[in-house]
Amino acid sequence: MTGVTILGSTGSIGVSTLDVISRHRDLFEPVALTANTNVRGLYEQCLAWRPRYAVMADADAAVRLKDMLQQGAPEIRVLSGEQGLQEVAGCAETDYVMAAIVGAAGLLPTLTAARNGKRVLLANKEALVMSGKLFMDAVRENGAQLLPIDSEHNAIFQCMPRDFNDGPAMTGVTRILLTASGGPFLTRPVGELDSVTPAEACAHPNWDMGKKISVDSATMMNKGLEVIEACWLFDTGVENVEIVIHPESVIHSLVEYSDGSVLAQLGNPDMRTPIAHAMAWPRRIESGVKKLNLSDISQLNFEKPDPERFPCLELARQALAQGGTATTILNAANEVAVAEFLGGRIRYTAIAEVVKQTLEGVTNQPADTLEQILEADKQARDYAGNQCRMSAGTSRQVMS
Ligand code: NAD
Ligand code: MG
């Protein structure tokens, strides 16, 4: 029986992970479930799954959860805060850690899982974007296994040769083709993007996801973060990763080889496929995903992304090329700007502007230690917060 900690069990990826586990109760057992503030959601999961640990990141929420569990399941240990998350990410009862907290909040527990030599099922791409070298070193030095959950990276992993760690020259890999749906605004006139609402930005055509990644998909910052993620995971340069817009989200990415072969992984857009793949790897298990019917789909389309419509792509590429803490700064500024947009305080088009200004305004430093990374994250959040307040002020003046 494999013990699994699910960081972010109440979210979109967390719920899909529990769905896959429910089909294989003989193989996997949830050891710990965690959430931020959703007490009711975690309470219901605790009653259904009876994990050993339940963690609420929010301390008040943890007190409420403990009270509620007194009746139905007093044996579950309720922990709280960053310390609680790290404890269940590294504990001896856990073999696999599903890293599905959204944003920078997932960095420390995900790093703890790597440092404790766990199989890390990585959905939380922001952790890798913030701390690429540090994180990959932690995986290598502690004998952890890193398996990508992000559908594109899981697809690339499936199309890569087993020995891809030997480097592209040895394995004949020439390029990674990262597919992108283009999100809800692929055909919206660029001049109208200024006035799109959070609800429109979150209405993704193919995937049902958390709010933050949905907005990132609309701006395509998600694809920018994924280019950075791919470079770290597959040890390659940004020049070897090409983004292809593929609105049907049936091909989840492709790998090109020196002999002209291009391998692709296809499937219905449902995160239970990459989750089941990474949990069972190197075996295969049933995931509950509907089988792909190619004649029903009948057509697959491809196009190049338009840099004017999606300025975040270039910002991400630049940050990766700069190195140091630039990608940490990019990620922090984007998280702040997306939260402000979702809160209705800044316009959609201000997201890219705030990220650009923050990359220009915060000094890029070496990213060798966790302290340097956390300091860059903090500085970028402060800077981006100020830029958002200025942007909100300008929008109000324009509107009144
Ligand atoms: P979500 O918003 O649905 O869920 C986020 C989870 O994290 C929730 O359980 C929430 O309680 C927890 N959380 C939020 N803030 C927290 C904090 N400060 N401290 C501790 N826990 C916190 O998000 P999601 O769509 O499931 O995405 C999770 C991660 O997976 C993101 O990094 C996203 O980029 C990545 N991802 C998601 C999908 C998808 O289809 N949803 C696909 C690829 C990658
Ligand atoms: Mg993805």
Side-chain angles (χ1 to χ4, degrees):
M1 188 65 97
T2 301
V4 186
T5 284
I6 306 179
L7 300 170
S9 62
T10 56
S12 161
I13 293 287
V15 168
S16 294
T17 305
L18 285 171
D19 183 274
V20 171
I21 294 180
S22 72
R23 296 161 197 277
H24 303 282
R25 287 173 193 259
D26 54 326
L27 298 178
F28 304 108
E29 167 193 41
V31 167
L33 302 176
T34 86
N36 188 22
T37 53
N38 183 355
V39 180
R40 169 63 50 186
L42 196 59
Y43 171 71
E44 280 164 11
Q45 288 184 342
C46 282
L47 291 188
W49 287 97
R50 306 281 165 154
R52 275 177 236 194
Y53 304 92
V55 188
M56 299 287 332
D58 182 82
D60 295 338
V63 173
R64 271 183 286 144
L65 179 68
K66 198 169 162 71
D67 271 0
M68 287 162 77
L69 287 172
Q70 272 320 316
Q71 289 289 320
E75 74 283 3
I76 297 177
R77 272 190 67 197
V78 178
L79 307 175
S80 76
E82 189 58 58
Q83 210 188 338
L85 292 172
Q86 290 195 46
E87 188 173 333
V88 299
C91 69
E93 298 98 314
T94 283
D95 306 294
Y96 293 4
V97 176
M98 169 57 77
I101 289 175
V102 57
L107 173 62
L108 294 179
T110 307
L111 199 56
T112 302
R115 287 179 171 164
N116 283 276
K118 307 295 184 193
R119 177 180 289 198
V120 182
L121 310 165
L122 186 74
N124 179 213
K125 66 193 88 185
E126 294 93 340
L128 196 55
V129 168
M130 287 176 79
S131 71
K133 182 172 178 335
L134 194 85
F135 189 82
M136 296 307 288
D137 284 349
V139 168
R140 263 189 298 273
E141 286 161 13
N142 298 286
Q145 276 180 328
L146 183 57
L147 286 152
I149 295 296
D150 214 346
S151 56
E152 297 77 4
H153 305 74
N154 184 271
I156 296 163
F157 182 77
Q158 293 194 46
C159 298
M160 277 281 181
R162 271 288 170 85
D163 55 352
F164 71 83
N165 282 328
D166 295 348
M170 297 299 291
T171 56
V173 172
T174 44
R175 245 178 353 149
I176 289 174
L177 303 170
L178 197 64
T179 53
S181 69
F185 303 138
L186 183 58
T187 56
R188 182 79 63 113
V190 173
E192 290 176 17
L193 291 177
D194 217 27
S195 57
V196 298
T197 65
E200 288 175 292
C202 288
H204 197 280
N206 307 337
W207 299 94
D208 183 13
M209 312 181 284
K211 285 202 167 85
K212 193 260 176 183
I213 184 176
S214 297
V215 176
D216 285 350
S217 301
T219 61
M220 277 188 86
M221 180 58 94
N222 183 49
K223 213 48 56 180
L225 300 179
E226 288 184 0
V227 170
I228 300 170
E229 184 185 10
C231 289
W232 285 114
L233 285 174
F234 304 108
D235 194 17
T236 189
V238 62
E239 66 285 359
N240 299 324
V241 184
E242 184 179 318
I243 298 169
V244 184
I245 291 190
H246 162 48
E248 292 85 6
S249 299
V250 166
I251 298 182
H252 299 303
S253 280
L254 314 91
V255 174
E256 180 196 75
Y257 287 82
S258 50
D259 60 6
S261 298
V262 179
L263 305 194
Q265 188 260 357
L266 287 72
N268 277 317
D270 185 325
M271 290 306 292
R272 290 176 300 174
T273 293
I275 291 168
H277 171 266
M279 288 186 70
W281 184 84
R283 291 200 292 275
R284 298 272 176 175
I285 54 173
E286 209 274 318
S287 65
V289 174
K290 207 169 130 232
K291 302 292 174 231
L292 187 66
N293 184 330
L294 282 175
S295 41
D296 277 358
I297 295 164
S298 94
Q299 253 197 28
L300 297 177
N301 291 280
F302 305 95
E303 61 184 271
K304 276 201 165 105
D306 167 7
E308 195 200 344
R309 178 181 297 281
F310 299 116
C312 287
L313 284 177
E314 185 49 31
L315 294 175
R317 279 186 184 271
Q318 278 171 9
L320 182 59
Q322 280 165 23
T325 52
T327 57
T328 317
I329 296 166
L330 171 96
N331 178 66
N334 181 57
E335 280 189 33
V336 169
V338 170
E340 291 298 301
F341 168 67
L342 284 169
R345 292 178 292 275
I346 64 168
R347 286 166 296 123
Y348 172 83
T349 43
I351 298 173
E353 287 162 19
V354 167
V355 174
K356 183 168 189 288
Q357 288 153 354
T358 309
L359 278 168
E360 286 163 3
V362 178
T363 312
N364 187 4
Q365 303 276 1
D368 301 325
T369 67
L370 188 57
E371 290 67 34
Q372 289 167 330
I373 288 161
L374 295 177
E375 177 57 27
D377 178 73
K378 185 182 172 314
Q379 279 184 18
R381 277 170 202 274
D382 291 346
Y383 196 94
N386 278 330
Q387 295 304 123
C388 286
R389 276 184 284 283
M390 281 174 0
S391 174
T394 323
S395 305
R396 271 197 298 277
Q397 275 168 17
V398 172
M399 286 187 269
S400 58

